[in-house]
Amino acid sequence: MNCPRCKSLDHNKNGKVNGRQRYKCSDCGYNYSVELKSTASSASVKRQALQLYLEGLGFRSIGRFLGVSHVSIQKWIKKFGQELEELKSENEISIVEMDEMHTYIG
């Protein structure tokens, strides 16, 4: 368990707020709690939302299906897209292979 601000491992218990244990970083003095809220969705739910989006479902229908706000679905999809942008190679693609593509130009 690291401090969210300075990433230090040195911390002490610092009371409870709404039944959740609080900690105080010994290095920077930052107060934080590490337990997830009950409304936080797991990574598997987010992954399932991405799969449904890629299958063609809309944000609202995915939200109804998973029982999550459509705004949350939209934010998750946007975050997945931004993570993919970071993974892009900086090298330009020079050769592209395509299979079973028929076009008519004329």
Side-chain angles (χ1 to χ4, degrees):
M1 173 170 55
N2 298 343
C3 172
R5 184 178 286 171
C6 70
K7 308 297 183 216
S8 170
L9 290 172
D10 192 17
H11 62 271
N12 297 316
K13 289 184 178 181
N14 193 24
K16 290 188 176 186
V17 176
N18 295 329
R20 295 174 58 196
Q21 181 66 54
R22 298 276 297 163
Y23 297 93
K24 183 172 186 174
C25 178
S26 299
D27 294 337
C28 69
Y30 184 68
N31 286 305
Y32 60 97
S33 60
V34 294
E35 298 176 22
L36 290 175
K37 296 179 187 175
S38 63
T39 58
S41 297
S42 66
S44 63
V45 173
K46 293 177 182 180
R47 197 174 315 112
Q48 188 176 11
L50 177 63
Q51 289 173 340
L52 291 171
Y53 178 74
L54 294 174
E55 288 291 327
L57 269 67
F59 297 129
R60 290 181 186 272
S61 58
I62 296 170
R64 281 191 299 270
F65 182 73
L66 297 177
V68 182
S69 167
H70 69 278
V71 177
S72 296
I73 303 292
Q74 186 177 11
K75 288 179 182 178
W76 297 342
I77 301 298
K78 185 176 181 180
K79 186 176 178 184
F80 281 124
Q82 289 171 347
E83 290 172 0
L84 284 177
E85 287 291 325
E86 294 170 2
L87 294 176
K88 274 187 176 178
S89 173
E90 294 183 11
N91 301 332
E92 291 218 14
I93 299 172
S94 58
I95 299 175
V96 176
E97 292 185 22
M98 298 182 141
D99 191 17
E100 297 179 10
M101 183 168 200
H102 305 281
T103 58
Y104 174 75
I105 300 173

